[in-house]
Amino acid sequence: MSNGTKWIVGTGVAIVTAIVGSAVAVLAVVVTLVGDVRADLRDVRADLTTQIAGVNARIDDVRADLRDVRDSMESLDARLRAVEVGFGKIDQRLLTIERVVLPAPPPGE
């Protein structure tokens, strides 16, 4: 083998080694970055899960408060109906008393 051939083969081997080494380095960097991205996504997922649980708890609290308000309004409605019935009875009695006590208006008025 001549020196030129050895030089060409050696240069080719060096270039192939450099390309393979660079590819391995790039691959290692990509694998590391993908691992970091996956870890970040797991962190984000965990944070979102925690936040969603907090929001769901607040929604449950609001629903419970709305049920309490609805129950209070229904109770108030029932009491108001009782007062309305009581006033109806008083109005009926007042009309009866007016008919008995007050004189009838003259015809034509």
Side-chain angles (χ1 to χ4, degrees):
M1 221 191 266
S2 71
N3 278 342
T5 306
K6 289 179 184 178
W7 184 84
I8 291 173
V9 170
T11 304
V13 169
I15 290 173
V16 169
T17 303
I19 290 173
V20 169
S22 297
V24 168
V26 168
L27 186 61
V29 169
V30 168
V31 168
T32 302
L33 290 176
V34 167
D36 290 344
V37 168
R38 284 185 177 174
D40 290 343
L41 287 175
R42 277 192 294 271
D43 292 344
V44 168
R45 184 178 296 143
D47 289 344
L48 284 176
T49 302
T50 303
Q51 290 176 0
I52 288 171
V55 169
N56 286 340
R58 289 188 182 115
I59 288 172
D60 291 341
D61 292 344
V62 169
R63 285 181 177 159
D65 290 343
L66 285 174
R67 279 192 295 273
D68 292 344
V69 168
R70 188 179 303 121
D71 292 343
S72 295
M73 288 182 66
E74 287 174 358
S75 173
L76 179 64
D77 191 39
R79 290 186 305 213
L80 187 59
R81 242 184 245 111
V83 169
E84 187 179 24
V85 168
F87 272 122
K89 290 177 182 178
I90 290 172
D91 190 41
Q92 188 65 33
R93 288 179 185 163
L94 183 59
L95 286 174
T96 303
I97 292 171
E98 285 176 346
R99 280 191 216 121
V100 172
V101 174
L102 295 177
E109 282 190 28

